[in-house]
Amino acid sequence: MNELDRLAESVDSLKNHLEVHRYICSNQIATAVYLAYHLRKPVLIEGPPGVGKTELAKTTAEMFQLPLIRLQCYEGLDESKAIYEWKYGKQLLYTQVLKETLDEVLQGAQGFRESVGRLHEFGDIFFSQEFMEPRPLLKALQEEQGCVLLIDEVDKSDHEFESLLLEILSDFQVSIPEIGTVKALREPPMVFLTSNNTREISDALKRRCLHLYIPFPDMELEQRIIHARVPEIPELLRKQLVAFIQELRDMDLKKVPAISETIDWARTLLLLHTETLDPDLVRETLNVILKFQEDIDNINTDIPSITHKAVNA
Amino acid sequence: MDRTLTSFISALRTAEVRISPAETLDALSAVELTGYQDREFLKNTLALVLPKTIDEKETFDNTFEEFFNFVDISAQRTKSDETDGDRGDDGATSSESQGRGSGSRSQGAGTGGGASQELTDETDSEDLGRGPLAEPTSRLGQLLMRNDRIELNVQVAKSAKAVRLEEIQVFTQKGLYTRRILDEMGLAELQREINSSKESAELPIRRLGRELRHRQDWLREQVRDYVEKQFLLHADAQGLRLREELLRKVKLSNVEHRNFRLVQEIVYRMAKKLVALHSRRKKVFKRGVLNVSRTLRHNMSYDGNIFDLHWKSVKVDRPNVFAICDVSGSVSNYARFMLMFLYSLEEVMPKVRSFAFSSDLGEVTELFERNSLEDAIAKTLRDYGSGSTDYGQALLDFRKKCSNDIDNRTTIIILGDARNNYGDAHQSVLKELYDLSKRVIWLNPESRTTWNTGDAIMRKYTPYVHQAEECNSLVHLERVVSNLLRTVQ
């Protein structure tokens, strides 16, 4: 564990280590990981799509060399898919077996009272760990060395599921009616929740979490990110394409390009052996960064001026 | 140290960032971990723990800059005149006084210069020379002469705490609190010393008296600044809350125009809250996805033979509402608010259809969808508000337009005073609607006693509504809608 502690000794050290794992981040983000590690509080990450919310959890797991357990949320997700489920088939078999051995158990019993007494003595394992199938949340609690638990796109799940999460988020335990409370083993997991803001997350959930908002990066940070992710790209082109993207983000678009789009674009341009941006090239590769035809049509006329601006930036 | 944080949190709360006690505890433990040494680190840390929405983050940034602004001040340090002597320590060290006293210090440079200016003026009237000073005897005098700003600020903060400055509510109390803080700090004792020094024959004592007087004036100013700052942090928003509370109770026709925005916000929040509270319910289904665990558990008693099936499904249920609003002259004062409420309701509830009438009735649902609130209301009043009221005609129109869409899940709300200009009431139409729908609710802005006076014919309509209520303030409105949503389910 000591090694991890040394890793998380300070915000700067975390930031550097995240960078080693090719995740370039601001101080705010590194501070969030720092607090999550030391306070063992879940982090709720919000922000536009494609700014690296999920990636942060993945990289953190990689950095701490912990297993990553991921729960993808969707409408209709419930406890049987998130926490635990009984192995029904085996349970049914067990009742069959039980029926057959009943005679042996009750052999020689005098009267009803004694029979029931014998039955009670007989171990009841119908609802027990043996017949339980752990799902991601329970698995995360049972990891010996701790783990990183990623609850992805929590805003896509229902209200009920949110309430289900409260117990695990605040106390790192889940209550299973038939068995009792299952607590985290030695090391509680580091929990990251991500949300795209499709709906408002309840106050109760927010209250239990650190709240991290990841905005689009500024020019400098984005350049460093591209440098880390696509190191082969020449510096001049990198500057130009980041400037272009930054320019696009200020425009009125249905969906503005995120970091992941910038990275894709950088890879595309690299593949085409581009050295510098020009309007025709931009027009041809625009569908990598803009995902709506409407947006593409809208900026079509502006491409030369934006390109010019980006090239001369 | 913790006090600084709690007072920062209360400042955040007045700036409308919602922070629960649990989050306060989180903040304390987070700060325990990070310490106050690094300002950016502290800000990043608190930004993770306290604000929980994007809007709140912005407010947080501003409040943080306001509250912990001592670094900027030490940067604008100018010449090292006497009163500014120990400004250098201000930096990033963090004592309670610095957080709280930052306001007073921000004025330090200006008043410091001013004080030395006055000093020379005074020497003209009474030349005492620049010789040695006597030792001050009063407690406050000693403090002032020690010239230790940090300690002074601590004292100001302590005294402010003692006189409960954080309870300040309106700006007229500022003078009072300034006075109280000074008294608490021992002003009386200081003044006695100053007075007695005047009569003294010894030069050093008289010089001291003069110096003390200057410093007393300076202190007074510092305290006033401090009070000002605390007022902004603690009381400004309380005034807002007070106003909101008042607006909820006042009659809608009496709300002044400048408060419309505020009312609008209250109405919107109200509508949203009500819908959120009442829109979900569970319904047992006869088909859908099999609920395996429940099915098995229920069938355990049948030897594990599965024949009693259980399904799972949740239905999100939103009431189906038709709202008819009278916008004629007699209710014009209320119509704005009723329309405002309809508009807000439509924003949060997908299945509201709105109608407006004075003589002829028309549907305004789309108008509301397409336009901003102000425009929508203005257009509605323009299009429908000119005629003279005819409830009978409006009901006929409504039946013609919507009778096919009304079923036993529908609620019809009628907003109006039932002043029919002695026309035909057509209450039979209302009866038809009453039979068709689940509920008919009539909200009348006039008080119950006037419901049947003059040309008002409430009495003809009341037999055919499930509920008739007086409704002329936001509190009424809230109650009615809450009932409505509850009974609709």
Side-chain angles (χ1 to χ4, degrees):
Chain A
M1 252 9 252
N2 267 335
E3 199 183 324
L4 294 192
D5 280 339
R6 210 168 41 248
L7 223 159
E9 181 182 59
S10 71
V11 173
D12 286 334
S13 137
L14 273 174
K15 204 171 154 187
N16 291 337
H17 278 94
L18 283 170
E19 263 172 46
V20 171
H21 291 273
R22 302 203 306 163
Y23 190 90
I24 314 295
C25 64
S26 63
N27 275 339
Q28 177 79 79
I29 296 175
T31 310
V33 178
Y34 177 82
L35 289 182
Y37 181 81
H38 288 279
L39 298 178
R40 286 294 149 158
K41 280 192 80 78
V43 187
L44 171 63
I45 312 172
E46 290 192 304
V51 290
K53 298 187 292 290
T54 309
E55 205 58 34
L56 176 63
K58 284 192 198 160
T59 316
T60 308
E62 208 177 293
M63 177 177 70
F64 286 122
Q65 292 179 343
L66 291 171
L68 175 79
I69 295 180
R70 178 170 177 167
L71 175 67
Q72 184 71 42
C73 294
Y74 53 86
E75 208 175 310
L77 178 68
D78 59 6
E79 58 178 356
S80 63
K81 285 167 198 130
I83 302 181
Y84 71 97
E85 176 76 306
W86 295 108
K87 298 173 180 166
Y88 298 112
K90 286 196 180 150
Q91 275 181 326
L92 287 179
L93 279 177
Y94 170 73
T95 48
Q96 301 292 325
V97 173
L98 198 66
K99 229 185 281 175
E100 275 154 30
T101 53
L102 206 57
D103 280 346
E104 285 171 36
V105 176
L106 296 182
Q107 212 168 33
Q110 302 283 318
F112 184 69
R113 194 177 294 271
E114 202 184 327
S115 306
V116 175
R118 289 243 191 126
L119 258 185
H120 279 302
E121 279 165 31
F122 189 73
D124 182 15
I125 58 164
F126 191 84
F127 285 120
S128 67
Q129 301 270 3
E130 271 108 292
F131 290 119
M132 203 164 66
E133 180 80 53
R135 303 287 188 192
L137 294 184
L138 193 59
K139 253 188 218 156
L141 291 181
Q142 288 172 332
E143 282 290 336
E144 279 280 348
Q145 300 302 321
C147 66
V148 174
L149 172 62
L150 167 62
I151 302 174
D152 213 5
E153 307 197 8
V154 69
D155 52 332
K156 300 266 165 42
S157 67
D158 315 307
H159 281 281
E160 289 81 359
F161 182 71
E162 249 179 57
S163 323
L164 210 65
L165 282 177
L166 298 180
E167 189 183 7
I168 190 169
L169 292 184
S170 56
D171 298 326
F172 296 110
Q173 62 174 43
V174 290
S175 295
I176 299 170
E178 295 88 349
I179 292 182
T181 306
V182 178
K183 282 202 162 83
L185 297 173
R186 247 173 301 151
E187 197 61 29
M190 284 177 80
V191 186
F192 291 89
L193 303 104
T194 71
S195 154
N196 276 333
N197 258 333
T198 52
R199 72 176 168 83
E200 192 81 355
I201 305 291
S202 74
D203 284 346
L205 189 93
K206 280 189 170 173
R207 191 170 69 63
R208 285 166 174 82
C209 301
L210 303 171
H211 184 269
L212 173 67
Y213 181 78
I214 306 185
F216 286 122
D218 56 21
M219 182 100 73
E220 195 237 318
L221 192 63
E222 188 157 25
Q223 285 203 24
R224 284 175 51 211
I225 294 170
I226 299 297
H227 183 60
R229 289 287 163 144
V230 194
E232 305 86 0
I233 199 161
E235 192 187 332
L236 180 72
L237 182 62
R238 193 176 74 221
K239 272 193 185 141
Q240 289 176 357
L241 81 96
V242 169
F244 188 92
I245 295 275
Q246 294 271 345
E247 201 65 41
L248 277 191
R249 288 209 185 111
D250 289 336
M251 296 181 65
D252 179 28
L253 296 173
K254 208 163 166 184
K255 186 191 175 306
V256 290
I259 302 172
S260 48
E261 270 100 23
T262 319
I263 294 172
D264 287 346
W265 202 33
R267 292 211 174 106
T268 312
L269 294 180
L270 193 69
L271 203 69
L272 295 173
H273 302 291
T274 316
E275 273 168 16
T276 176
L277 284 187
D278 68 76
D280 288 332
L281 182 78
V282 170
R283 202 163 284 141
E284 279 155 24
T285 55
L286 205 57
N287 51 5
V288 178
I289 42 177
L290 293 178
K291 303 293 166 74
F292 286 95
Q293 190 56 39
E294 202 183 315
D295 287 345
I296 296 179
D297 295 344
N298 271 344
I299 76 152
N300 205 3
T301 51
D302 298 331
I303 289 178
S305 66
I306 306 176
T307 314
H308 183 72
K309 226 177 183 178
V311 169
N312 295 321
Chain B
M1 201 70 79
D2 293 350
R3 277 255 212 99
T4 319
L5 196 61
T6 43
S7 86
F8 174 57
I9 285 171
S10 81
L12 276 177
R13 283 196 185 126
T14 39
E16 304 242 309
V17 179
R18 281 174 48 185
I19 296 167
S20 66
E23 280 159 330
T24 310
L25 290 178
D26 288 347
L28 284 174
S29 58
V31 168
E32 206 170 285
L33 183 71
T34 61
Y36 286 88
Q37 281 77 27
D38 184 340
R39 187 168 184 272
E40 196 210 336
F41 190 23
L42 178 67
K43 185 173 172 184
N44 281 339
T45 305
L46 291 178
L48 287 165
V49 184
L50 297 175
K52 298 279 163 96
T53 64
I54 301 159
D55 289 345
E56 285 181 356
K57 295 232 177 217
E58 215 165 273
T59 319
F60 171 86
D61 278 354
N62 295 336
T63 315
F64 187 90
E65 295 302 333
E66 282 270 296
F67 197 90
F68 293 100
N69 67 352
F70 42 83
V71 171
D72 301 329
I73 286 147
S74 74
Q76 55 166 298
R77 173 156 53 115
T78 49
K79 56 177 184 177
S80 59
D81 69 350
E82 200 191 359
T83 36
D84 288 355
D86 47 357
R87 183 77 57 76
D89 319 351
D90 289 2
T93 57
S94 52
S95 73
E96 179 188 339
S97 64
Q98 285 190 327
R100 321 193 86 246
S102 49
S104 58
R105 210 172 311 118
S106 68
Q107 299 293 326
T111 44
S116 58
Q117 181 63 37
E118 278 173 37
L119 199 78
T120 47
D121 291 348
E122 188 82 357
T123 41
D124 290 341
S125 62
E126 187 186 17
D127 190 12
L128 297 170
R130 286 199 166 261
L133 300 174
E135 279 296 305
T137 51
S138 65
R139 195 166 51 88
L140 184 57
Q142 284 165 358
L143 188 65
L144 282 173
M145 294 310 288
R146 259 207 305 285
N147 210 358
D148 183 346
R149 262 169 196 254
I150 294 175
E151 204 187 332
L152 252 177
N153 284 325
V154 173
Q155 285 304 325
V156 172
K158 266 189 189 158
S159 309
K161 194 112 262 180
V163 301
R164 297 176 178 276
L165 177 59
E166 66 272 13
E167 286 172 13
I168 186 168
Q169 286 202 328
V170 286
F171 70 96
T172 45
Q173 288 173 307
K174 281 189 227 166
L176 176 73
Y177 274 101
T178 309
R179 181 80 206 172
R180 279 195 194 157
I181 292 175
L182 285 170
D183 283 349
E184 177 72 21
M185 290 179 79
L187 187 70
E189 200 187 344
L190 178 70
Q191 272 172 344
R192 265 202 303 284
E193 189 182 358
I194 292 173
N195 286 340
S196 66
S197 74
K198 272 189 195 155
E199 280 134 35
S200 166
E202 286 175 57
L203 262 185
I205 293 184
R206 291 178 65 172
R207 274 194 216 111
L208 172 73
R210 186 190 59 193
E211 186 62 30
L212 280 179
R213 206 159 53 243
H214 287 314
R215 292 191 181 208
Q216 178 202 328
D217 290 345
W218 172 81
L219 179 70
R220 198 187 295 274
E221 211 152 307
Q222 301 294 296
V223 171
R224 201 173 300 140
D225 279 345
Y226 181 75
V227 170
E228 173 82 19
K229 173 128 182 155
Q230 294 297 311
F231 171 74
L232 286 179
L233 280 177
H234 292 294
D236 220 19
Q238 259 167 27
L240 182 76
R241 218 164 296 144
L242 210 67
R243 256 191 3 236
E244 273 191 18
E245 196 51 43
L246 220 64
L247 279 176
R248 292 164 77 93
K249 288 190 188 137
V250 81
K251 269 198 169 190
L252 287 174
S253 54
N254 297 342
V255 174
E256 288 166 51
H257 197 274
R258 68 191 166 89
N259 282 327
F260 277 179
R261 275 213 75 77
L262 202 58
V263 169
Q264 193 180 317
E265 249 169 61
I266 301 175
V267 167
Y268 182 75
R269 276 211 301 270
M270 196 192 287
K272 202 171 161 188
K273 190 172 83 189
L274 289 171
V275 170
L277 208 65
H278 297 294
S279 67
R280 293 188 76 81
R281 63 165 178 172
K282 286 224 176 203
K283 195 172 172 185
V284 180
F285 276 78
K286 291 232 155 57
R287 57 200 168 80
V289 184
L290 186 70
N291 188 341
V292 183
S293 51
R294 267 191 68 158
T295 305
L296 277 185
R297 196 156 314 150
H298 273 270
N299 288 290
M300 209 62 79
S301 42
Y302 313 126
D303 255 6
N305 297 318
I306 295 166
F307 66 90
D308 182 10
L309 299 181
H310 288 258
W311 310 95
K312 58 182 168 189
S313 201
V314 178
K315 190 179 179 196
V316 176
D317 192 66
R318 302 241 155 85
N320 198 0
V321 175
F322 286 78
I324 307 171
C325 187
D326 180 358
V327 291
S328 66
S330 58
V331 287
S332 59
N333 282 331
Y334 297 102
R336 275 193 72 85
F337 292 97
M338 295 304 177
L339 288 174
M340 195 186 277
F341 188 77
L342 278 190
Y343 187 90
S344 307
L345 211 59
E346 216 172 276
E347 250 172 63
V348 289
M349 223 154 74
K351 275 175 163 176
V352 183
R353 284 177 67 185
S354 318
F355 302 84
F357 74 95
S358 50
S359 54
D360 298 316
L361 175 132
E363 179 159 5
V364 290
T365 316
E366 252 183 68
L367 192 80
F368 277 17
E369 265 166 31
R370 278 206 311 271
N371 294 290
S372 71
L373 174 73
E374 285 295 319
D375 289 353
I377 290 178
K379 280 183 186 160
T380 311
L381 289 175
R382 184 197 65 200
D383 293 351
Y384 301 102
S386 49
S388 67
T389 330
D390 185 344
Y391 277 80
Q393 186 57 42
L395 286 171
L396 286 173
D397 285 351
F398 181 70
R399 182 178 62 175
K400 200 164 84 200
K401 277 188 199 321
C402 306
S403 62
N404 287 335
D405 301 335
I406 294 172
D407 55 23
N408 58 3
R409 291 194 306 272
T410 310
T411 302
I412 299 171
I413 308 176
I414 301 170
L415 309 159
D417 58 359
R419 291 197 179 275
N420 205 24
N421 293 321
Y422 305 104
D424 190 346
H426 283 292
Q427 62 265 48
S428 60
V429 181
L430 188 64
K431 181 178 184 304
E432 252 173 69
L433 296 172
Y434 174 86
D435 292 337
L436 274 175
S437 64
K438 178 166 183 177
R439 280 187 91 73
V440 179
I441 299 171
W442 195 299
L443 303 180
N444 194 326
E446 292 188 8
S447 77
R448 222 168 249 277
T449 47
T450 58
W451 278 9
N452 293 306
T453 57
D455 59 345
I457 44 164
M458 222 24 214
R459 123 173 54 80
K460 288 192 182 164
Y461 288 129
T462 33
Y464 307 118
V465 301
H466 295 86
Q467 199 180 346
E469 298 281 350
E470 174 186 338
C471 176
N472 51 29
S473 74
L474 291 175
V475 174
H476 280 159
L477 201 56
E478 186 171 21
R479 202 175 305 143
V480 168
V481 176
S482 177
N483 280 337
L484 153 75
L485 287 160
R486 200 170 304 132
T487 47
V488 161
Q489 285 175 21

